[in-house]
Amino acid sequence: MLTLPTAPTDPVAPGSKARKPKSPATEVGSSNWRSVVLQQAQRLTGELDVMPQNAIEQPPPALVNQARARIAAAHAIAEDSSWSWVTLRNWWTGSAVETAWDHLQSGREIMLRFAPSGNVRAQLPSLLRRVVAISSDPAHDPQVDAMKAILASTGDLSADQRSTITAVHEHVRFAEDDHSEARGFRNNLFLWTLGLAIGAGVLALIAQHGGRYLVIGAVAGMLTTALAWRSLTHLTGPFSVNTAQALLKIAAGAASALLGVLLVRSGIISGLTVNSSSADGYALVFGLSQQALTQVVDNAAKKLGGA
């Protein structure tokens, strides 16, 4: 079983308490990003534990300790799942998740300096694809050319090659890890969901059988969410936009169902009549129709993910 060292001198996110890492076979956090960080920290620590046996030369102790400290700091943030106002603030602003993510990627970069050449070379094709993706002119990008030259070489990596790889990885990380747009989009979806839920709840209290239509619309929203789940945007990184999309569809379904029935009852929509037996059907139809409205949000999410 793996033992993750603590890093008392390393910074952690505001409000997080450093705790001794646990060492289960596979760690699972209280949320998706926590699970990802915990599992990657566990894997990197496992690589560090066997590094001296795999490396041709003994890794410099100072670099190994730096990598362990970074990984342990990420682990400590992800493991702290206690709830408080500070925790809520960190979740909303992304402070905890982005700090943990940064520690984890920094630890990975440090390991590139001394990991066995075979381990580093295995990561180069993926790193090349990433640097090409963020480059404005891949055909004339010196970093792309440098990575291709290293990929074409054979044998152990030189110190200069390792420095180049580390620099490219850092450049890619800073380009990819600007999650502010994804975080803002997720937060806006949550705000819209909360607003719709509150508005629909108030209407349900004053409308006849409003709660019933609310439930029917929410179920319709859940149905469209289940059918469209695979097409929702799954962004790489720590922020789960697809979950926010799903919650918005459920709230929009509930609100659309209730508003639709109220509109039919008011006579604004001519040619339609409503009674106790047909109202449920109208609620279901209007609840399903939210897909046409939330499709605008889905398209915006796809643009955000580069789809």
Side-chain angles (χ1 to χ4, degrees), residues 10 21 30 157 177 209 294 305:
D10 268 43
S30 58
L157 294 169
D177 287 1
H209 304 303
T294 56

Side-chain angles (χ1 to χ4, degrees), residues 44-163:
L44 291 178
T45 302
E47 292 180 11
L48 279 172
D49 288 342
V50 300
M51 195 73 73
Q53 290 78 21
N54 289 346
I56 296 177
E57 296 181 358
Q58 188 77 6
L63 287 180
V64 175
N65 291 337
Q66 287 179 29
R68 286 188 183 277
R70 286 289 189 173
I71 296 168
H75 188 284
I77 295 171
E79 192 182 39
D80 182 16
S81 57
S82 59
W83 280 97
S84 66
W85 285 111
V86 174
T87 306
L88 180 61
R89 182 194 65 194
N90 290 341
W91 172 82
W92 185 259
T93 62
S95 173
V97 57
E98 294 201 16
T99 302
W101 202 261
D102 181 71
H103 281 316
L104 200 63
Q105 297 305 317
S106 295
R108 191 189 303 274
E109 284 171 9
I110 295 171
M111 290 175 63
L112 290 174
R113 303 181 191 176
F114 58 81
S117 295
N119 291 11
V120 178
R121 287 189 179 279
Q123 303 177 48
L124 296 185
S126 173
L127 184 57
L128 176 60
R129 287 193 296 270
R130 292 164 64 191
V131 74
V132 168
I134 65 172
S135 176
S136 58
D137 186 10
H140 302 92
D141 192 321
Q143 288 191 326
V144 174
D145 294 339
M147 288 300 301
K148 289 180 178 180
I150 295 174
L151 271 170
S153 66
T154 57
D156 292 332
L157 294 169
S158 66
D160 288 341
Q161 287 176 321
R162 287 179 181 272
S163 296

Side-chain angles (χ1 to χ4, degrees), residues 196 213 216-225 227-228 248-264 269 272 279-298:
L196 283 172
Y213 306 138
I216 293 174
V219 172
M222 293 177 64
L223 178 62
T224 58
T225 299
L227 294 175
L248 179 63
K249 288 179 182 294
I250 295 172
S256 298
L258 183 56
L259 287 174
V261 173
L262 292 177
L263 286 174
V264 174
I269 303 178
L272 296 179
D280 291 349
Y282 286 131
L284 179 62
V285 170
F286 281 109
L288 292 172
S289 68
Q290 57 76 29
Q291 179 63 26
L293 300 175
T294 56
Q295 186 64 43
V296 177
V297 176
D298 295 342

